[in-house]
């Protein structure tokens, strides 16, 4: 196809001029310039893009803006946003660019539009009711929804260029979600068009059958309508009314629904049209004038008493005002008659957005529009309980204490407000929760504690080495996650404690203490522990060692004297006391075995170059020679430094920390955890990642036996694609 760019350029400008003409609201000073600027920015941003039809892409935003102006009565802000609605999502323009060019308000609406399409277009399974909730909770400004509706309407109008499967998806989504939303907002014309187009693509056979029959029966219907309205016209004129009276065909979609729900044929439907009388009447008289017209009509045609609908005294919750009656027509058929004022008619067709017309000053118009926007929001938030009768088939109960989030496949989960990534993991499956090491929210790495927001899409990262930790209880809000974590922690302790029982038996044996229930209970009260399980657990994690057992032994022989020496073990010292006895290190020139502590400032592990430092109150402390404190200690207190050397490496684990820096590659966390879990004798205690501007930093705490293991692991981690630097760090 030959494209004449000059012709296209002229056509773009032509469409732009039509848009300006379509602006029903009088544009204020500066509005036109702002719309022009948005137009130019959009033209430039989309200049290389074409629609599926081959047309320039910019036709689409112009069309959407025209719908917003013409059919929704939106003002300059809405039109600017409609022109820009696809820029941040589809072009190089960023939200920052928009903010810089057009200010905060417009940027905020564009952001809402971009986010909403992110949720809708990336979500494969639709749960319509929940979707509507998401839409509404996510959009702070109702204009986001209105522009999204206009966007969808134009996409539906041009759907014939799409592939069949896309047509089905978009059309059914439209029937499910957008048409009811338009109805809810009182945008009747748009709702009807969306429904008809939706039917056209989901059941085109039925659509065309009805469409053809409607055309075929049109002349006959016209004749009937004339016969029906001619006598009414005369009387209404005599009474001095300024009015329009006409027949209005029902929509194809509503006829289709009637055929389906009532099991009738097209020919059996008598109300294929309604008669509408729109009177031009000042606001203060419109109600009484409507009733006057009602009485004239029912004088002429006999009304059905059950079918009077007064939505003038009590408007529908979406703002619809009208008086409906059904009368017996000249040929013995029931005919629906709708009576309303011009104002009510415009309102019914374009929703509350039509309100702007009935105020004079520009400021009043603006405030009326904001009032409408506010009212729609309120209405969406909490349907008026008094108007329950008129509330549509879908009720929007917006619970502000709920959030709606998605799995990577697009399934939706409802969670309480404040839920974290970890809550989500447990909501998916207990196992996923227990092995959770982190999550990706909207494709970005976040920690377990990340608080979720409505619309977030979450992928949970797991490792089979992971187990629930005590502090996890502080990271979750759902009862489900809490109880699962508690159960798992209990189970862990129980298992560990089982091993501790055997260890204690051996230790008692070494110290010549009989392993009897009595002695175990005495030892429990000696250590002031609550239960035997707690004792066995502490033994298993190395928190009760020879020292306590020796002290206990002495205490048994001489209870009073030994009392002072008992040591209350602290769980926090798990790491430094995780050694199996005093035989790990030899200290001093004569390399004696002395009591020592591993200094927490550098966490020495077997294999590290170490030295001992004689402290005032805490005996000898072991530091690595590379410890940040070492130089200070060595230079200032050389006389207190003693040699220390590892003797053998037993299979005891020591905690070490690694810091990783690199670029945020796909699957990086997965690859890192894979390397760690493939390394023998290495266990991960915690892992956390942070990404900023594509650079990630990771902190991993692992248990290793010695430096040999650690260095081996560091070498392997450096080989992971995306990792630039791996360092051991001292403080934890
Ligand atoms: Mn669009």
């Amino acid at each position: 196809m030959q494209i004449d760019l000059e012709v296209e350029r002229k056509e773009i400008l032509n469409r732009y001029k039509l848009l300006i003409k379509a602006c029903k609201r009088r544009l204020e000073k500066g509005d036109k310039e702002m719309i022009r600027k948005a137009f130019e920015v959009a033209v430039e941003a989309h200049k290389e893009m074409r629609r599926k039809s081959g047309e320039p892409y910019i036709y689409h935003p112009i069309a959407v803006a025209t719908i917003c102006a013409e059919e929704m009565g939106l003002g300059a802000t809405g039109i600017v946003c409609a022109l820009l609605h696809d820029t941040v999502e589809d072009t190089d323009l960023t939200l920052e660019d928009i903010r810089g060019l057009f200010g905060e308000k417009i940027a905020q609406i564009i952001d809402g539009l971009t986010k909403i399409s992110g949720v809708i277009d990336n979500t494969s399974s639709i749960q319509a009711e929940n979707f509507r909730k998401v839409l509404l909770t996510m959009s702070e400004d109702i204009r986001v929804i209105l522009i999204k509706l206009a966007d969808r309407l134009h996409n539906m109008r041009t759907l014939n260029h799409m592939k069949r499967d896309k047509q089905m998806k978009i059309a059914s989504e439209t029937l499910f979600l957008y048409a009811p939303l338009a109805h809810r907002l009182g945008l009747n014309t748009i709702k009807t068009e969306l429904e008809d187009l939706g039917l056209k693509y989901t059941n085109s056979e039925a659509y065309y059958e009805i469409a053809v029959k409607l055309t075929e029966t049109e002349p006959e219907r016209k004749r009937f309508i004339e016969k029906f309205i001619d006598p009414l016209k005369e009387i209404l004129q005599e009474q001095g009314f300024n009015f329009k009276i006409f027949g209005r065909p029902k929509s194809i979609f509503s006829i289709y629904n009637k055929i389906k729900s009532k099991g009738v044929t097209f020919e059996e439907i008598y109300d294929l049209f309604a008669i509408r009388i729109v009177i031009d009447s000042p606001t203060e008289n419109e109600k009484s004038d409507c009733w006057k017209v009602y009485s004239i009509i029912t004088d002429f045609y006999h009304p059905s008493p059950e079918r009077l609908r007064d939505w003038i005294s009590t408007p529908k919750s979406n703002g619809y005002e009208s008086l409906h009656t059904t009368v017996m027509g000249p040929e013995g058929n029931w005919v629906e008659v709708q009576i309303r004022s011009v104002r009510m008619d415009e309102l019914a067709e374009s929703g509350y957005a039509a309100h702007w017309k009935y105020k004079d000053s520009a400021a009043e118009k603006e405030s009326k529009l904001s009032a409408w926007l506010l009212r729609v929001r309120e209405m969406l938030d909490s349907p008026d309980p008094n108007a329950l009768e008129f509330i549509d088939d879908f009720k929007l109960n917006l619970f502000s204490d709920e959030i709606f989030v998605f799995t990577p496949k697009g399934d939706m989960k409802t969670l309480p407000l404040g839920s974290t990534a970890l809550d989500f993991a447990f909501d998916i499956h207990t196992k996923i929760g227990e092995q959770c090491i982190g999550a990706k929210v909207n494709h970005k790495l976040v920690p377990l504690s990340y608080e979720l927001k409505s619309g977030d899409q979450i992928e949970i990262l797991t490792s089979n080495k992971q187990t629930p930790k005590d502090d996890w209880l502080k990271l979750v809000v759902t009862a489900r996650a809490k109880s699962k974590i508690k159960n798992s922690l209990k189970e862990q302790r129980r298992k560990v404690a089982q091993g501790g029982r055997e260890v204690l038996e051996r230790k008692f044996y070494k110290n010549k203490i009989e392993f009897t229930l009595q002695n175990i209970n005495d030892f429990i009260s000696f250590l002031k522990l609550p239960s035997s399980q707690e004792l066995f657990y502490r033994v298993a994690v190395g928190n009760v060692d020879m020292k306590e057992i020796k002290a206990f032994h002495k205490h048994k022989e001489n209870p009073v004297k030994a009392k002072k020496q008992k040591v209350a073990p602290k769980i926090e010292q798990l790491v430094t006391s995780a050694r199996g006895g005093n035989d790990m290190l030899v200290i001093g020139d004569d390399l004696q075995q002395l009591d020592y502590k591993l200094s927490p400032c550098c966490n020495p592990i077997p294999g590290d170059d170490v030295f001992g430092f004689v402290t005032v109150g805490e005996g000898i402390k072991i530091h690595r020679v590379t410890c940040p404190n070492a130089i200070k200690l060595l230079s200032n207190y050389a006389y207190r430094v003693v040699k220390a050397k590892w003797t053998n490496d037993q299979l005891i684990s020591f905690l070490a920390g690694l810091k990783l820096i690199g670029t945020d590659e796909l699957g990086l966390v997965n690859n890192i955890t894979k390397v760690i879990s493939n390394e023998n004798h290495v266990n991960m205690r915690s892992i956390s990642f942070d990404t900023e501007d594509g650079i990630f930093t990771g902190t991993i705490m692992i248990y290793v036996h010695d430096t040999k293991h650690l260095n081996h692991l560091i070498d392997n981690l450096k080989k992971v694609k995306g990792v630039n630097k791996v360092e051991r760090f001292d403080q934890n």
Side-chain angles (χ1 to χ4, degrees):
M1 191 178 71
Q2 187 68 34
I3 294 168
D4 189 332
L5 289 176
E6 190 49 34
V7 170
E8 265 183 14
R9 209 184 58 82
K10 276 188 185 150
E11 180 58 23
I12 291 169
L13 277 175
N14 191 35
R15 289 180 188 220
Y16 171 71
K17 275 181 203 145
L18 289 172
L19 163 66
I20 295 299
K21 246 193 212 159
C23 291
K24 286 188 180 175
R25 310 178 66 203
R26 212 182 68 226
L27 294 172
E28 299 300 317
K29 206 168 160 273
D31 283 355
K32 235 181 173 167
E33 288 71 16
M34 191 169 67
I35 294 172
R36 178 79 198 191
K37 186 168 142 194
F39 167 68
E40 278 162 5
V41 167
V43 168
E44 180 61 22
H46 291 297
K47 70 173 180 231
E48 306 294 347
M49 298 166 63
R50 285 185 178 271
R51 301 207 90 206
K52 282 259 155 43
S53 60
E55 289 178 334
Y57 194 87
I58 189 68
Y59 286 6
H60 169 64
I62 295 175
V64 173
T66 309
I67 293 169
C68 287
E70 204 163 45
E71 299 178 46
M72 293 171 173
L74 288 190
T77 305
I79 290 165
V80 165
C81 292
L83 283 169
L84 299 170
H85 81 272
D86 276 332
T87 54
V88 172
E89 206 185 340
D90 298 340
T91 76
D92 294 336
L93 274 187
T94 64
L95 198 61
E96 291 316 307
D97 295 334
I98 299 289
R99 188 173 289 124
L101 285 165
F102 299 97
E104 185 54 43
K105 183 75 225 172
I106 284 169
Q108 200 187 320
I109 294 173
I110 299 290
D111 187 35
L113 283 162
T114 311
K115 274 194 195 137
I116 278 182
S117 25
V119 169
I120 292 175
D121 302 337
N122 296 330
T123 302
S124 52
S125 73
I126 298 182
Q127 292 142 302
E129 177 56 24
N130 290 330
F131 241 152
R132 282 190 280 267
K133 286 188 191 170
V134 176
L135 264 183
L136 298 170
T137 29
M138 280 181 67
S139 42
E140 276 157 33
D141 192 311
I142 197 77
R143 277 174 288 202
V144 171
I145 294 177
L146 294 175
I147 295 167
K148 194 70 205 164
L149 271 174
D151 182 33
R152 176 51 59 115
L153 180 58
H154 185 244
N155 285 336
M156 284 301 289
R157 283 176 183 170
T158 52
L159 199 59
N160 54 327
H161 300 289
M162 301 294 263
K163 279 198 204 127
R164 187 73 195 114
D165 60 321
K166 273 262 175 175
Q167 287 180 344
M168 280 305 281
K169 179 183 184 281
I170 294 173
S172 42
E173 220 174 69
T174 300
L175 289 176
F176 247 162
L177 173 64
Y178 291 94
L181 251 184
H183 178 54
R184 184 83 195 174
L185 296 171
L187 301 166
N188 193 46
T189 317
I190 289 174
K191 171 214 158 203
T192 305
E193 192 179 347
L194 285 175
E195 282 176 345
D196 280 0
L197 287 168
L199 182 65
K200 183 173 163 185
Y201 289 100
T202 52
N203 189 347
S204 48
E205 207 181 315
Y207 173 87
Y208 283 112
E209 201 187 312
I210 296 169
V212 166
K213 281 184 176 165
L214 270 179
T215 318
E216 280 171 2
T217 53
E218 209 188 321
E220 188 194 331
R221 210 162 41 243
K222 262 193 171 156
R223 259 197 314 279
F224 177 84
I225 289 170
E226 268 168 37
K227 197 171 160 192
F228 183 90
I229 63 181
D230 273 347
L232 294 177
K233 263 186 186 167
E234 245 172 75
I235 308 170
L236 288 169
Q237 266 159 5
E238 273 169 28
Q239 300 277 329
F241 279 107
N242 195 0
F243 66 96
K244 268 191 252 166
I245 181 166
F246 49 91
R248 238 185 146 272
K250 290 260 162 84
S251 77
I252 294 177
F253 185 78
S254 65
I255 294 169
Y256 167 76
N257 263 347
K258 197 153 224 173
I259 290 173
K260 235 177 52 179
S261 64
K262 299 243 161 91
V264 293
T265 63
F266 179 88
E267 288 71 24
E268 287 168 318
I269 298 176
Y270 60 87
D271 56 347
L272 287 171
F273 64 93
I275 300 294
R276 186 175 297 171
I277 303 167
V278 181
I279 49 175
D280 197 351
S281 169
T283 319
E284 60 273 21
N285 293 343
E286 58 181 13
K287 192 173 168 185
S288 58
D289 282 351
C290 283
W291 284 109
K292 262 185 217 158
V293 171
Y294 171 83
S295 100
I296 292 168
I297 289 160
T298 50
D299 277 350
F300 206 88
Y301 296 116
H302 192 70
S304 158
E306 299 109 64
R307 292 204 223 157
L308 173 66
R309 296 282 179 275
D310 172 14
W311 285 307
I312 290 182
S313 312
T314 321
K316 279 195 192 186
S317 65
N318 67 6
Y320 184 83
E321 291 173 64
S322 190
L323 194 59
H324 289 193
T325 179
T326 299
V327 299
M328 185 59 78
E331 286 166 20
N333 284 331
W334 290 112
V335 176
E336 184 183 309
V337 181
Q338 306 169 347
I339 307 158
R340 52 177 81 158
S341 70
V342 176
R343 182 192 65 82
M344 293 173 191
D345 191 50
E346 281 183 347
L347 220 86
E349 296 304 311
S350 347
Y352 272 98
H355 263 320
W356 58 267
K357 257 186 103 173
Y358 299 93
K359 283 287 171 180
D360 291 319
S361 84
E364 260 180 301
K365 279 179 199 168
E366 197 53 56
S367 78
K368 194 75 193 176
L369 183 72
S370 338
W372 174 70
L373 295 174
L374 195 75
R375 191 173 155 188
V376 169
R377 257 233 82 82
E378 277 169 6
M379 190 177 76
L380 293 167
D381 284 348
S382 60
D384 179 3
N386 300 323
L388 268 182
E389 199 185 328
F390 308 111
I391 288 172
D392 321 294
D393 48 351
F394 67 94
K395 289 189 193 75
L396 281 162
N397 297 311
L398 282 183
F399 297 109
S400 57
D401 49 355
E402 267 184 353
I403 55 164
F404 312 98
V405 294
F406 296 90
T407 68
K409 282 188 180 160
D411 290 327
M412 191 156 85
K413 300 273 169 197
T414 309
L415 289 170
L417 187 73
S419 291
T420 61
L422 192 56
D423 279 304
F424 180 82
F426 275 99
D427 192 74
I428 300 285
H429 194 277
T430 306
K431 192 120 201 155
I432 305 274
E434 287 174 350
Q435 301 190 341
C436 179
I437 54 170
K440 279 186 173 180
V441 169
N442 307 326
H443 308 294
K444 275 194 172 164
L445 276 168
V446 299
L448 300 178
S449 57
Y450 174 87
E451 191 175 322
L452 301 170
K453 289 186 287 299
S454 266
D456 279 347
Q457 189 166 36
I458 304 121
E459 184 189 341
I460 295 297
L461 307 168
T462 58
S463 155
N464 54 15
K465 289 276 153 71
Q466 177 71 301
T467 50
K469 307 288 178 280
D470 290 307
D471 59 357
W472 280 20
L473 289 168
K474 286 184 225 140
L475 305 184
V476 296
V477 301
T478 56
R480 178 188 164 84
K482 272 197 180 135
S483 77
K484 296 285 177 193
I485 293 170
K486 276 185 190 157
N487 283 347
S488 172
L489 288 173
K490 246 191 239 165
E491 183 58 23
Q492 276 177 45
R493 278 181 97 87
R494 204 184 55 76
K495 273 194 191 145
V496 173
Q498 265 174 2
R501 189 188 164 93
E502 289 158 32
V503 175
L504 189 67
E505 186 170 2
R506 271 197 310 263
K507 287 189 172 177
F508 268 28
Y509 178 76
K510 263 196 205 166
N511 283 282
K512 308 207 164 50
I513 304 169
E514 250 188 296
F515 197 64
T516 59
L517 194 60
Q518 180 62 49
N519 279 343
I520 293 168
N521 284 339
D522 286 350
F523 192 39
I524 290 167
S525 53
F526 173 73
L527 291 175
K528 294 205 164 82
L529 294 177
S531 66
S532 59
Q533 180 169 316
E534 183 65 23
L535 170 67
F536 297 147
Y537 177 76
R538 289 185 182 217
V539 171
V541 298
N543 221 342
V544 174
D545 60 14
M546 285 304 188
K547 233 186 325 189
E548 279 93 19
I549 295 172
K550 277 179 184 153
F552 174 59
H553 190 68
K554 273 186 200 161
H555 164 82
K556 273 177 79 77
E557 285 168 351
N558 190 349
V560 186
K561 204 180 145 197
K563 212 174 180 181
K564 272 195 288 189
Q565 292 175 341
K566 74 174 182 226
V567 181
K570 277 187 196 142
I571 196 94
E572 303 82 58
Q573 288 169 344
L574 177 148
V575 175
T576 43
S577 59
R579 52 207 164 86
N582 295 337
D583 51 354
M584 289 292 296
L585 270 173
V586 285
I587 293 167
D589 285 333
D590 47 357
L591 299 177
Q592 309 166 30
Q593 293 195 354
L594 294 173
D595 255 4
Y596 61 87
K597 271 187 182 150
L598 297 175
S599 171
C601 63
C602 54
N603 283 331
I605 63 175
D608 276 335
D609 246 347
V610 290
F611 66 92
F613 187 79
V614 184
T615 65
V616 178
E618 297 177 272
I620 294 167
K621 276 200 170 176
I622 304 298
H623 292 264
R624 288 158 61 193
V625 293
T626 55
C627 172
N629 294 326
I631 297 180
K632 205 172 83 194
L633 295 172
L634 288 169
S635 56
N636 290 337
Y637 307 99
Y639 60 96
R640 283 161 68 182
V641 171
V642 290
K643 259 190 223 165
K645 209 178 107 191
W646 300 98
T647 51
N648 54 1
D649 38 347
Q650 300 186 344
L651 284 187
I652 294 166
S653 294
F654 292 81
L655 189 67
L658 290 181
K659 191 169 190 166
L660 287 80
I661 296 173
T663 45
D664 189 14
E665 296 265 342
L666 199 71
L668 185 78
V669 174
N670 232 346
N671 293 337
I672 288 172
T673 47
K674 219 183 272 165
V675 167
I676 295 172
S677 49
N678 284 342
E679 190 78 15
N680 281 330
H681 309 303
V682 170
N683 274 311
M684 188 155 54
R685 186 176 95 164
S686 67
I687 180 168
S688 69
F689 282 91
D690 249 327
T691 314
E692 216 185 316
D693 299 332
I695 303 294
F696 88 92
T697 46
T699 309
I700 306 174
M701 299 303 295
I702 38 175
Y703 290 110
V704 293
H705 296 317
D706 55 27
T707 47
K708 213 172 82 198
H709 277 118
L710 190 64
N711 291 335
H712 191 249
L713 178 65
I714 290 175
D715 285 344
N716 282 338
L717 282 174
K718 280 181 178 163
K719 284 180 204 150
V720 173
K721 202 175 158 229
V723 172
N724 293 335
K725 212 169 160 188
V726 183
E727 280 175 336
R728 181 170 168 198
F729 69 91
D730 299 322
Q731 308 286 344
N732 65 335

